[in-house]
Amino acid sequence: MHLAPRAALRRAAAAATIALLATAVGCAPQPEEDSAAKPSGSSTGTTCAKGKLATETSGKLTIATDEPAYEPWFKDDKPANGKGFESAVAYAVAEQLGYDKSAVVWQSVPFNKAFAPGEKTFDFDINQVSISAERKKAVDFSSGYYDVRQAVIALKGTKAAKATSIADLKSLKLGAQVGTTSLNYIEDVVKPTQQAAAYAKNDQAKSALKNGQVDAIVVDLPTAFYITAAEVTDAEIVGQFENQGGTPEQFGLVLDKGSALTSCVTDAVDTLRENGTLAKIEQQWLSDAVDAPVLK
């Protein structure tokens, strides 16, 4: 039985339409096969439009740090004054993102809580948090804004103060703030015969050193210079550790896991490094932290 002429025309037209659609689909951009391959917080288009980011509070940038805020990273325990290395870096990043000083809101968040699992109430945290693979499981990091080494502090004239190698530290009672790479260096690099003392705050570690409860404490190098110059003046820097694994330890800004801001903040940090701003801020606020003997 033959098709009626009108039906045959409809059939031919449909076939042609299907062929055209197939051609169009074949030429069109196809979806990414593996979206997981993209970096977390990746952004496209106008996502990083200055001053218009998807922040915790519209039109504001919420930055967190611990309390108290120690020197030389902050000045006078006032993160909002723009003084101290990390305060200056925070405002430089904010400006790069399109937020002036009046649009920045500071929030107090304990050190360990900043990179613990769970939703964050800040846009980014700046608090001498070292970037590590383990921490990246719970949070995002920007690119590094400061290369740092860990240092050992002991009271002058003590056995600990005479240490010149890692082997000399093994029999000592050492202390550091809990959750820090300082404590990791004690446990993983020194591997002392006595269990390391872990403190909730650096202030507690400093008190333990002054009171003779520990022989020495480990902190980052700039903090070590400040402690020995202004806080525990009868202490001295014994030495600093080499970086482990051939790559420098770096401080990074902490963001919520999968944050849409991660790539924007990373771009801001990268720009500040490339245009010399980070180096200028470091020179202004950390220039006294020049060098110390290397413990091997």
Side-chain angles (χ1 to χ4, degrees), residues 187-210:
E187 295 172 341
D188 301 336
V189 177
V190 179
K191 299 177 181 177
T193 55
Q194 303 181 59
Q195 184 176 358
Y199 301 97
K201 301 277 187 182
N202 262 339
D203 277 346
Q204 295 171 350
K206 288 181 287 186
S207 295
L209 177 65
K210 287 190 285 188

Side-chain angles (χ1 to χ4, degrees), residues 78-257:
K78 296 178 180 177
N81 64 15
K83 298 177 180 180
F85 178 76
E86 289 194 327
S87 181
V89 168
Y91 280 116
V93 170
E95 183 178 359
Q96 195 65 37
L97 294 172
Y99 297 88
D100 61 26
K101 194 169 183 179
S102 65
V104 172
V105 178
W106 285 90
Q107 184 181 104
S108 175
V109 173
F111 179 81
N112 271 347
K113 190 175 180 181
F115 51 85
E119 188 175 351
K120 307 306 176 190
T121 57
F122 52 76
D123 294 311
F124 69 77
D125 178 278
I126 183 166
N127 189 25
Q128 307 113 66
V129 182
S130 296
I131 301 169
S132 73
E134 184 65 27
R135 289 172 178 171
K136 281 183 176 180
K137 295 176 183 177
V139 294
D140 280 357
F141 280 96
S142 70
S143 54
Y145 61 87
Y146 181 68
D147 294 357
V148 66
R149 285 193 177 190
Q150 299 299 317
V152 180
I153 300 174
L155 296 179
K156 295 174 181 177
T158 61
K159 177 184 177 182
K162 296 179 176 66
T164 58
S165 67
I166 291 174
D168 292 337
L169 301 173
K170 286 187 179 295
S171 62
L172 303 178
K173 181 68 174 180
L174 304 175
Q177 183 176 349
V178 69
T180 62
T181 50
S182 302
L183 187 58
N184 291 343
Y185 266 75
I186 294 174
E187 295 172 341
D188 301 336
V189 177
V190 179
K191 299 177 181 177
T193 55
Q194 303 181 59
Q195 184 176 358
Y199 301 97
K201 301 277 187 182
N202 262 339
D203 277 346
Q204 295 171 350
K206 288 181 287 186
S207 295
L209 177 65
K210 287 190 285 188
N211 296 333
Q213 294 169 300
V214 292
D215 299 310
I217 60 173
V218 178
V219 295
D220 58 77
L221 186 58
T223 298
F225 272 95
Y226 181 75
I227 289 174
T228 54
E231 296 183 319
V232 189
T233 53
D234 57 342
E236 63 181 302
I237 297 174
V238 177
Q240 61 178 310
F241 295 107
E242 291 183 302
N243 287 315
Q244 301 301 301
T247 57
E249 177 186 345
Q250 291 186 313
F251 292 157
L253 305 178
V254 182
L255 299 95
D256 205 355
K257 187 67 177 174

Side-chain angles (χ1 to χ4, degrees), residues 272-295:
L272 294 173
R273 185 186 306 105
E274 291 162 8
N275 66 20
T277 299
L278 289 180
K280 290 177 183 177
I281 295 173
E282 181 178 338
Q283 178 62 32
Q284 180 179 2
W285 295 107
L286 301 180
S287 59
D288 290 339
V290 283
D291 204 2
V294 177
L295 299 167

